[in-house]
Amino acid sequence: QVQLAESGGGSVQAGGSLSLSCSVSAYTGSAKLRGWFRQVPGREREGVALIDSFQRKVYASFVKERFYISEDGAKKTLHLQMKSLLPEDTAVYYCAIGQNTTCGGPYCLRPRLYNVWGQGIQVTVSA
């Protein structure tokens, strides 16, 4: 059973930076999609950044070149570097993998394409 665990969240002032990591355990197959999502209370979970089935990095429009997704060569850790953070970036951030769907481009930001999720980690950006 694949398990994901996020780390690196916390609190930062607006304009600051944070880096999130997601470790993948018991990984025995290929993940067609690897991504980061976020959610605030009362709102739907939204895609932030992902690596699609063609190894392309895809970002939500609100990221605007502030976030950078990467992974290690063995696909054991997924990273999200965030800079120029804004108060509206405050959310619980989740990493996820999609094992079942081949997908490319912004369409892959849909949470329903992912079947394994981490527990989430809080990121708080103060004004």
Side-chain angles (χ1 to χ4, degrees):
Q1 180 97 14
V2 178
Q3 292 184 321
L4 308 179
E6 300 94 344
S7 61
S11 299
V12 67
Q13 289 189 324
S17 301
L18 279 175
S19 291
L20 305 180
S21 294
C22 174
S23 62
V24 182
S25 64
Y27 185 69
T28 59
S30 63
K32 298 181 179 181
L33 300 170
R34 290 89 69 203
W36 287 95
F37 297 78
R38 69 186 189 185
Q39 189 169 22
V40 298
R43 295 181 60 179
E44 292 186 354
R45 192 168 297 185
E46 61 182 358
V48 175
L50 68 101
I51 300 174
D52 72 11
S53 303
F54 307 98
Q55 309 307 314
R56 297 176 301 198
K57 297 175 180 176
V58 180
Y59 298 92
S61 58
F62 58 78
V63 169
K64 294 181 181 178
E65 300 183 354
R66 299 183 297 122
F67 294 4
Y68 178 73
I69 188 171
S70 62
E71 65 181 349
D72 67 14
K75 298 183 181 178
K76 292 297 186 182
T77 308
L78 189 66
H79 303 283
L80 185 68
Q81 295 174 283
M82 304 182 292
K83 65 178 183 180
S84 302
L85 284 161
L86 305 168
E88 47 264 46
D89 293 319
T90 295
V92 176
Y93 282 72
Y94 299 86
C95 63
I97 63 173
Q99 298 173 303
N100 305 319
T101 303
T102 298
C103 180
Y107 183 87
C108 312
L109 288 167
R110 289 164 171 77
R112 63 180 178 83
L113 299 178
Y114 298 74
N115 62 308
V116 182
W117 292 83
Q119 79 284 357
I121 193 164
Q122 180 69 44
V123 171
T124 301
V125 185
S126 57

